[in-house]
Amino acid sequence: MSSKPEQKETHHANGAVVPVVPMDCLTSPDRGQLVEPSNFLGPDGNRVEVVMLESRANAKGVREEDALLENGSQSNESDDTSTDRGPEPASPLKETSFSIGLQVLFPFLLAGFGTVAAGMVLDVVQHWDVFKYVTEVFILVPALLGLKGNLEMTLASRLSTAANIGQMDTPKELWKMITGNMALIQVQATVVGFLASIAAVVFGWIPDGHFSIDHAVLLCASSVATAFIASLVLGMIMIGVIIGSRKMGINPDNVATPIAASLGDLITLALLSGISWGLYKELESKAYVNPLVCAFFIALLPIWIIIAKRNAATREVLYSGWEPVIIAMAISSVGGLILDRTVSDPNFAGMAVFTPVINGVGGNLVAVQASRISTYLHMSGMPGESSDTAPRKCPSPCSTFFSSDVNSRSARVLFLLVVPGHLVFLYTISSMQGGHTTLTLIFIVFYMTAALLQVLILLYIADWMVHWMWGRDLDPDNFSIPYLTALGDLIGTGLLALSFHILWLIGDRDSDVGD
């Protein structure tokens, strides 16, 4: 009998719990290799049979006894369990404020300079004939620039989450994610581009009461072609950025969405300006070109739909992911209407160069925050599951910005980037002699107030919206960023227009707002 207690003690030393089960329950071959039973006395003095199962790991390195005992072997004294398990994805909980700021800073500045370049382009092209005589093109600007939030940033957030939780580790999984998501964003880009042109026609026709079929077809062709080409280029860039980030040990959530925005505004605005200008030139001599361009891109839709439907990772989004992108497009179009009405007034022509900057910076920062919160929630389970990581539905501003959790820490870091970032961007615009506005102290104060208020509102809405969508069984990667970036366009354009109107009313002539 002395050898049997020693065997029992050795088994406990290895960190396993000895199950006490009847002999007839161990006839199944998948319960492990049976070891000779031992006899012990139970608490009541009756003899019980103690059966020890040989430790055997499954394909994932999880011991089968653990599942049988409902995690009974997960003891703090055990080292075998932790060493047998495969590597887990890196948790954002380990990030400090400094590491978050360091990883976000470079892509944030890169994205900001991209919006500055887009603002300089808009400042120049606003004087082109197509923008003068087809002013509805201004309505397309926030809607199409917002596609980076609707599509590319959503793609970046979705792929960043997939990379962080290990769904892109093998070449097969990686290829499936790439093909499915690229086909998906082509479908979304074509449809949203078409709907954006309809919104531009309606918003331009209602105030003026004038409708031109040629201008409507021009807007449709320009919008669809721009959305398709821009999404194709930016989607390929995003995939490269996320794969490179993982290989370099950088959290893709911190860099992917800002880089998507860095080139998104510039590429999209350059394409919109060039395509609309070229199609406008063809109106007189070759009127058939505009409807032909529109029909060509719409005819490609069935191909992309078939590819996206065959991929399980994108099939659900193909069916259920339309509500956020369409509503976001409508919200951005309202911002475009504000831009159209403001920039068309010669007194506020200087607003054009600043609109992509304030909208882009706000959208970039809130997209990073939404992507980070979404990844944090995905590490704890699936959407709709109750979790300690998603306890609140309507957070207070104090809990959003001043609590000790990692999401509050990142919100503070992102908010603190607003002032130094915008100062750098304003100085760049001024040094390049962009716009029609001199940077006076009062102008900078009004501009910074608008920018800070915009980001403050967006970060708070992001904290509420992502957790609310998670509780409603909606994946925040697919649903939150379109709404947030569209709200950023609307809030940013509205606050900037309000600032310019106030400056004009109080007579800040030193800033040359009216030139």
mmCIF file of all heavy atoms in Angstrom, residues 15-35:
data_model
loop_
_atom_site.group_PDB
_atom_site.id
_atom_site.type_symbol
_atom_site.label_atom_id
_atom_site.label_comp_id
_atom_site.label_asym_id
_atom_site.label_seq_id
_atom_site.Cartn_x
_atom_site.Cartn_y
_atom_site.Cartn_z
ATOM 1 N N GLY A 15 0.695 18.529 -11.164
ATOM 2 C CA GLY A 15 -0.316 19.544 -11.418
ATOM 3 C C GLY A 15 -1.619 19.010 -11.923
ATOM 4 O O GLY A 15 -2.472 19.760 -12.347
ATOM 5 N N ALA A 16 -1.850 17.697 -11.954
ATOM 6 C CA ALA A 16 -3.109 17.140 -12.442
ATOM 7 C C ALA A 16 -3.985 16.756 -11.268
ATOM 8 O O ALA A 16 -3.507 16.414 -10.188
ATOM 9 C CB ALA A 16 -2.858 15.926 -13.327
ATOM 10 N N VAL A 17 -5.268 16.777 -11.485
ATOM 11 C CA VAL A 17 -6.220 16.387 -10.448
ATOM 12 C C VAL A 17 -6.698 14.988 -10.747
ATOM 13 O O VAL A 17 -7.047 14.682 -11.893
ATOM 14 C CB VAL A 17 -7.406 17.361 -10.399
ATOM 15 C CG1 VAL A 17 -8.441 16.879 -9.390
ATOM 16 C CG2 VAL A 17 -6.919 18.739 -10.033
ATOM 17 N N VAL A 18 -6.727 14.131 -9.771
ATOM 18 C CA VAL A 18 -7.119 12.733 -9.978
ATOM 19 C C VAL A 18 -8.619 12.623 -9.951
ATOM 20 O O VAL A 18 -9.239 12.954 -8.934
ATOM 21 C CB VAL A 18 -6.490 11.823 -8.900
ATOM 22 C CG1 VAL A 18 -6.894 10.382 -9.129
ATOM 23 C CG2 VAL A 18 -4.977 11.957 -8.934
ATOM 24 N N PRO A 19 -9.249 12.209 -11.031
ATOM 25 C CA PRO A 19 -10.705 12.058 -11.037
ATOM 26 C C PRO A 19 -11.141 10.769 -10.375
ATOM 27 O O PRO A 19 -10.504 9.742 -10.520
ATOM 28 C CB PRO A 19 -11.045 12.051 -12.526
ATOM 29 C CG PRO A 19 -9.825 11.502 -13.170
ATOM 30 C CD PRO A 19 -8.658 11.910 -12.322
ATOM 31 N N VAL A 20 -12.224 10.820 -9.643
ATOM 32 C CA VAL A 20 -12.812 9.635 -9.027
ATOM 33 C C VAL A 20 -14.075 9.311 -9.789
ATOM 34 O O VAL A 20 -15.061 10.037 -9.697
ATOM 35 C CB VAL A 20 -13.121 9.885 -7.543
ATOM 36 C CG1 VAL A 20 -13.721 8.645 -6.908
ATOM 37 C CG2 VAL A 20 -11.861 10.295 -6.809
ATOM 38 N N VAL A 21 -14.034 8.269 -10.590
ATOM 39 C CA VAL A 21 -15.141 7.934 -11.479
ATOM 40 C C VAL A 21 -15.389 6.450 -11.430
ATOM 41 O O VAL A 21 -14.488 5.657 -11.133
ATOM 42 C CB VAL A 21 -14.826 8.368 -12.932
ATOM 43 C CG1 VAL A 21 -14.746 9.864 -13.031
ATOM 44 C CG2 VAL A 21 -13.531 7.739 -13.411
ATOM 45 N N PRO A 22 -16.609 6.008 -11.742
ATOM 46 C CA PRO A 22 -16.892 4.570 -11.822
ATOM 47 C C PRO A 22 -16.141 3.943 -12.972
ATOM 48 O O PRO A 22 -15.865 4.579 -13.985
ATOM 49 C CB PRO A 22 -18.416 4.514 -12.022
ATOM 50 C CG PRO A 22 -18.902 5.853 -11.581
ATOM 51 C CD PRO A 22 -17.808 6.808 -11.846
ATOM 52 N N MET A 23 -15.865 2.648 -12.832
ATOM 53 C CA MET A 23 -15.105 1.941 -13.859
ATOM 54 C C MET A 23 -15.863 1.823 -15.157
ATOM 55 O O MET A 23 -15.279 1.826 -16.233
ATOM 56 C CB MET A 23 -14.739 0.534 -13.347
ATOM 57 C CG MET A 23 -13.700 0.533 -12.224
ATOM 58 S SD MET A 23 -12.119 1.190 -12.780
ATOM 59 C CE MET A 23 -11.688 -0.088 -13.958
ATOM 60 N N ASP A 24 -17.183 1.726 -15.111
ATOM 61 C CA ASP A 24 -17.929 1.501 -16.340
ATOM 62 C C ASP A 24 -18.030 2.748 -17.190
ATOM 63 O O ASP A 24 -18.559 2.706 -18.290
ATOM 64 C CB ASP A 24 -19.331 0.968 -16.031
ATOM 65 C CG ASP A 24 -20.079 1.901 -15.113
ATOM 66 O OD1 ASP A 24 -19.480 2.919 -14.689
ATOM 67 O OD2 ASP A 24 -21.257 1.625 -14.813
ATOM 68 N N CYS A 25 -17.594 3.901 -16.668
ATOM 69 C CA CYS A 25 -17.647 5.129 -17.458
ATOM 70 C C CYS A 25 -16.407 5.323 -18.292
ATOM 71 O O CYS A 25 -16.291 6.309 -19.000
ATOM 72 C CB CYS A 25 -17.817 6.346 -16.541
ATOM 73 S SG CYS A 25 -19.374 6.347 -15.660
ATOM 74 N N LEU A 26 -15.450 4.384 -18.199
ATOM 75 C CA LEU A 26 -14.164 4.588 -18.873
ATOM 76 C C LEU A 26 -13.957 3.613 -20.017
ATOM 77 O O LEU A 26 -12.841 3.256 -20.349
ATOM 78 C CB LEU A 26 -13.015 4.445 -17.865
ATOM 79 C CG LEU A 26 -13.041 5.455 -16.722
ATOM 80 C CD1 LEU A 26 -11.971 5.114 -15.702
ATOM 81 C CD2 LEU A 26 -12.847 6.843 -17.259
ATOM 82 N N THR A 27 -15.052 3.144 -20.599
ATOM 83 C CA THR A 27 -14.937 2.201 -21.700
ATOM 84 C C THR A 27 -14.679 2.877 -23.020
ATOM 85 O O THR A 27 -14.291 2.246 -23.976
ATOM 86 C CB THR A 27 -16.219 1.370 -21.804
ATOM 87 O OG1 THR A 27 -17.321 2.278 -21.954
ATOM 88 C CG2 THR A 27 -16.438 0.543 -20.533
ATOM 89 N N SER A 28 -14.934 4.193 -23.119
ATOM 90 C CA SER A 28 -14.735 4.907 -24.390
ATOM 91 C C SER A 28 -13.257 5.058 -24.658
ATOM 92 O O SER A 28 -12.494 5.437 -23.768
ATOM 93 C CB SER A 28 -15.394 6.280 -24.330
ATOM 94 O OG SER A 28 -15.107 6.994 -25.512
ATOM 95 N N PRO A 29 -12.789 4.794 -25.897
ATOM 96 C CA PRO A 29 -11.358 4.885 -26.196
ATOM 97 C C PRO A 29 -10.825 6.301 -26.182
ATOM 98 O O PRO A 29 -9.629 6.505 -26.158
ATOM 99 C CB PRO A 29 -11.270 4.288 -27.614
ATOM 100 C CG PRO A 29 -12.629 4.483 -28.193
ATOM 101 C CD PRO A 29 -13.570 4.360 -27.043
ATOM 102 N N ASP A 30 -11.691 7.336 -26.224
ATOM 103 C CA ASP A 30 -11.185 8.700 -26.293
ATOM 104 C C ASP A 30 -10.983 9.318 -24.918
ATOM 105 O O ASP A 30 -10.745 10.512 -24.797
ATOM 106 C CB ASP A 30 -12.128 9.594 -27.120
ATOM 107 C CG ASP A 30 -13.503 9.655 -26.516
ATOM 108 O OD1 ASP A 30 -13.744 8.912 -25.552
ATOM 109 O OD2 ASP A 30 -14.328 10.442 -27.026
ATOM 110 N N ARG A 31 -11.070 8.513 -23.853
ATOM 111 C CA ARG A 31 -10.917 9.078 -22.515
ATOM 112 C C ARG A 31 -9.491 8.941 -21.992
ATOM 113 O O ARG A 31 -9.212 9.192 -20.837
ATOM 114 C CB ARG A 31 -11.874 8.426 -21.528
ATOM 115 C CG ARG A 31 -13.312 8.781 -21.788
ATOM 116 C CD ARG A 31 -14.186 8.224 -20.707
ATOM 117 N NE ARG A 31 -15.563 8.570 -20.941
ATOM 118 C CZ ARG A 31 -16.145 9.664 -20.506
ATOM 119 N NH1 ARG A 31 -15.443 10.543 -19.823
ATOM 120 N NH2 ARG A 31 -17.416 9.907 -20.744
ATOM 121 N N GLY A 32 -8.597 8.536 -22.798
ATOM 122 C CA GLY A 32 -7.212 8.436 -22.378
ATOM 123 C C GLY A 32 -6.842 6.985 -22.129
ATOM 124 O O GLY A 32 -7.654 6.071 -22.175
ATOM 125 N N GLN A 33 -5.583 6.769 -21.875
ATOM 126 C CA GLN A 33 -5.090 5.421 -21.658
ATOM 127 C C GLN A 33 -5.296 5.043 -20.194
ATOM 128 O O GLN A 33 -4.866 5.765 -19.292
ATOM 129 C CB GLN A 33 -3.605 5.360 -22.025
ATOM 130 C CG GLN A 33 -3.059 3.942 -21.991
ATOM 131 C CD GLN A 33 -1.635 3.915 -22.498
ATOM 132 O OE1 GLN A 33 -1.118 4.941 -22.911
ATOM 133 N NE2 GLN A 33 -1.010 2.755 -22.459
ATOM 134 N N LEU A 34 -5.939 3.919 -19.976
ATOM 135 C CA LEU A 34 -6.310 3.524 -18.615
ATOM 136 C C LEU A 34 -5.102 2.987 -17.867
ATOM 137 O O LEU A 34 -4.357 2.153 -18.361
ATOM 138 C CB LEU A 34 -7.415 2.464 -18.666
ATOM 139 C CG LEU A 34 -7.989 2.005 -17.330
ATOM 140 C CD1 LEU A 34 -8.639 3.194 -16.642
ATOM 141 C CD2 LEU A 34 -8.988 0.891 -17.558
ATOM 142 N N VAL A 35 -4.909 3.478 -16.650
ATOM 143 C CA VAL A 35 -3.838 2.998 -15.777
ATOM 144 C C VAL A 35 -4.461 2.131 -14.690
ATOM 145 O O VAL A 35 -5.619 2.331 -14.305
ATOM 146 C CB VAL A 35 -3.068 4.196 -15.170
ATOM 147 C CG1 VAL A 35 -1.931 3.700 -14.268
ATOM 148 C CG2 VAL A 35 -2.522 5.054 -16.282
#
